[in-house]
């Protein structure tokens, strides 16, 4: 088949279809890229769920009522009207779930940026594209770069609280939670994971958590000291139960994701600290100002390589073409993914 996009119903993410895509002639300042590979995870589901409130639908325009969920991965320029971005240049960054796409690419202070008017008001972290020569860890980078960067930034943010002794993480089987657990344990924190009965035994055996509880055991939750709750699930009832169980021991509550996207969002009463949203681009802007962009990447790259080396249980599951993407999309959306698995799609 020719070029295509995966389009989803913005009001019902279950409704997804492969649609033919047209490739109009390039204008000056534009490049055409062939998508090589990308990952699809619960993090991308969160992009879809928060597409309207956080502007994720704006990155890659789609027909009315439909959306193109962004993903992270590698693409190579196949046509160019940008002298600084020649054909053959390989980039890593924010992509659509498509076989190919067009950008208004320009050279930036560090790498390239998309200068399209519809992206001008969006967070610059998502508009940045880095040159990406081939590397043996490319599949791991496609999977872990966005997730583990959030883990890295969360750990950095929480590390500013010298009194913190324990972390409690919901959706403990998500890769971002696993990454945070790994970084935090390296700093000596107690880390407790909350998970469904289906995943609890699997993640308990990975060595990332000091303790794993199922959601129906939250009432017995206790920590070694002052604790923070990091919510990757987006289930208000679970948040309320954690707050109630920990009482005054809980000093901070962060909202990161919404992996339990179908969970009830009833107005359960929440005691203790007000849950606040952690937005990774804010923390990366802060650290880029503090450390410089080169140092952020250096520290993160060391962390990524360390995580991959220390966690051989991580398994890459590869999918080919539009059909493979469709299968992976529904597996992740419906939660039919083993904690050990990361899904990589090669569109071509």
């Amino acid at each position: 088949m020719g070029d295509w996009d995966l389009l989803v119903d913005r009001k019902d993410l279950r409704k997804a279809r492969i649609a033919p895509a047209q490739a109009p002639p390039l204008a000056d300042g534009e490049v055409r890229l062939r998508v090589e590979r990308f990952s699809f995870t619960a993090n991308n589901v969160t992009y879809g769920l928060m597409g309207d409130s956080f502007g994720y639908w704006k990155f890659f325009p789609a027909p009315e009522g439909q959306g193109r969920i962004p993903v992270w991965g590698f693409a190579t320029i196949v046509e160019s009207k940008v002298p600084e971005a020649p054909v053959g240049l390989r980039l890593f960054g924010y992509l659509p779930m498509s076989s190919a796409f067009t950008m208004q690419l320009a050279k930036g202070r560090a790498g390239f940026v998309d200068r399209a008017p519809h992206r001008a008001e969006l967070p610059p972290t998502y508009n940045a594209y880095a040159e990406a020569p081939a590397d043996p860890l490319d599949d791991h980078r496609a999977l872990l770069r966005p997730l583990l960067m959030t883990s890295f930034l969360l750990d950095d943010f929480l590390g500013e609280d010298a009194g913190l002794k324990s972390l409690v993480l919901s959706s403990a089987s998500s890769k971002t939670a696993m990454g945070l657990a790994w970084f935090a344990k390296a700093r000596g924190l107690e880390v407790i994971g909350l998970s469904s009965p289906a995943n609890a035994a699997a993640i308990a055996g990975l060595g990332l958590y000091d303790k794993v509880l199922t959601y129906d055991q939250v009432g017995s939750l206790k920590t070694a000291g002052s604790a923070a709750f990091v919510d990757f699930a987006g289930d208000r009832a679970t948040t309320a139960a954690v707050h109630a169980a920990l009482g005054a021991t809980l000093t901070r509550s962060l909202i990161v994701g919404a992996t339990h996207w179908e969970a009830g969002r009833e107005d359960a009463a929440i005691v203790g600290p007000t849950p606040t949203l952690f937005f990774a681009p804010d923390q990366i802007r802060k650290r880029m100002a503090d450390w410089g962009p080169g140092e952020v990447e250096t520290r993160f790259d060391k962390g990524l390589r360390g995580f991959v080396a220390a966690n051989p249980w991580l398994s890459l599951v590869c999918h080919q073409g539009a059909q493979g993407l469709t299968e992976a999309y529904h597996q992740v959306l419906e939660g039919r993914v083993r904690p050990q698995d990361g899904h990589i799609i090669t569109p071509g």
Side-chain angles (χ1 to χ4, degrees), residues 35 99 150 215 255 269 306:
V35 177
S99 59
T150 300
Y215 291 108
I255 303 165

Side-chain angles (χ1 to χ4, degrees), residues 78-346:
V78 292
E79 291 183 70
S80 177
K81 288 200 171 183
V82 179
E84 300 86 358
V87 169
L89 181 66
R90 187 173 186 259
L91 299 173
F92 179 87
Y94 220 38
L95 315 176
M97 288 195 285
S98 304
S99 59
F101 69 110
T102 299
M103 286 198 300
Q104 292 186 25
L105 205 62
K107 189 73 173 171
R109 287 182 298 175
F112 293 85
V113 294
D114 189 332
R115 298 292 192 195
H118 70 273
R119 293 176 67 155
E121 302 302 319
L122 299 170
T125 298
Y126 296 125
N127 286 337
Y129 293 82
E131 292 187 48
D135 185 286
L137 286 182
D138 276 347
D139 281 338
H140 286 92
R141 288 187 186 284
L143 174 66
L144 295 174
R145 176 63 169 74
L147 306 179
L148 209 64
M149 177 61 87
T150 300
S151 308
F152 171 79
L153 295 168
L154 271 164
D155 181 64
D156 176 61
F157 177 77
L158 291 166
E160 296 175 342
D161 186 345
L164 199 61
K165 303 298 181 186
S166 303
L167 295 184
V168 178
L169 313 182
S170 66
S171 195
S173 62
S174 70
K175 301 299 185 300
T176 312
M178 290 178 174
L180 175 57
W182 186 75
F183 282 120
K185 282 196 71 175
R187 292 195 297 110
L189 295 188
E190 174 193 47
V191 186
I192 299 171
L194 306 180
S195 183
S196 67
N199 288 328
I203 61 174
L206 302 181
L208 294 168
Y209 296 95
D210 294 290
K211 186 187 301 181
V212 176
L213 300 178
T214 56
Y215 291 108
D216 60 359
Q217 296 174 321
V218 168
S220 65
L221 177 63
K222 294 187 183 334
T223 61
S226 175
F229 175 51
V230 185
D231 179 25
F232 295 96
D235 182 345
R236 188 177 174 89
T238 296
T239 299
V242 170
H243 279 233
L246 293 181
T249 307
L250 185 68
T251 59
R252 172 170 279 167
S253 184
L254 299 179
I255 303 165
V256 181
T259 59
H260 295 185
W261 63 282
E262 288 190 294
R265 288 178 168 78
E266 67 276 8
D267 292 327
I270 295 178
V271 299
T274 301
T276 57
L277 180 71
F278 177 80
F279 190 49
D282 290 342
Q283 186 70 7
I284 199 169
R285 276 195 291 268
K286 175 183 176 182
R287 287 313 189 199
M288 286 177 74
D290 294 342
W291 303 339
E295 183 63 19
V296 172
E297 286 299 328
T298 297
R299 295 189 190 194
F300 171 72
D301 187 67
K302 180 180 178 181
L304 185 147
R305 291 180 182 276
F307 182 85
V308 172
N311 295 284
W313 50 262
L314 184 61
S315 174
L316 298 174
V317 181
C318 298
H319 306 264
Q320 183 78 27
Q323 180 64 32
L325 169 58
T326 302
E327 292 169 357
Y329 175 84
H330 287 290
Q331 285 178 30
V332 174
L333 186 71
E334 296 160 14
R336 296 184 284 112
V337 177
R338 297 192 316 157
Q340 302 95 317
D341 293 342
H343 291 266
I344 304 295
I345 293 90
T346 53

